[in-house]
Amino acid sequence: MYNYLLYVRKYSIFTNDYELYVYGVNTNDIFHTIGEFYYRSETKISRLVYVECTQQKLDFWAEQGFKIYRFFDKY
């Protein structure tokens, strides 16, 4: 379904702390996608990590109760 997962710690004004979000992307150029993610972000990002997407990782995040958001790369 996705080539990569982005683990992003973004600032939340509701909790006054950084929260973890998981994004799924389909791209051939992950570094361009990361740059576009920073550019299009509306909140402060403290950390962004990318990993290759596998079914085990998708299952793990589903078990932990995280929603995987889809990020559309305009490139």
Side-chain angles (χ1 to χ4, degrees), residues 13-30:
I13 61 171
F14 300 112
T15 60
N16 196 26
D17 200 7
Y18 290 94
E19 296 180 357
L20 178 65
Y21 294 89
V22 180
Y23 290 88
V25 296
N26 287 322
T27 184
N28 294 329
D29 186 2
I30 188 64

Side-chain angles (χ1 to χ4, degrees), residues 3-61:
N3 292 355
Y4 295 95
L5 294 176
L6 299 177
Y7 303 152
V8 182
R9 287 218 174 260
K10 292 171 49 173
Y11 183 75
S12 172
I13 61 171
F14 300 112
T15 60
N16 196 26
D17 200 7
Y18 290 94
E19 296 180 357
L20 178 65
Y21 294 89
V22 180
Y23 290 88
V25 296
N26 287 322
T27 184
N28 294 329
D29 186 2
I30 188 64
F31 297 109
H32 181 272
T33 303
I34 289 171
E36 186 173 336
F37 191 90
Y38 273 108
Y39 179 76
R40 290 173 36 193
S41 178
E42 298 174 353
T43 60
K44 185 176 179 182
I45 297 173
S46 69
R47 186 174 192 169
L48 189 146
V49 177
Y50 73 94
V51 295
E52 289 189 30
C53 184
T54 62
Q55 189 60 45
Q56 287 179 325
K57 290 176 182 152
L58 293 174
D59 294 340
F60 171 78
W61 289 113

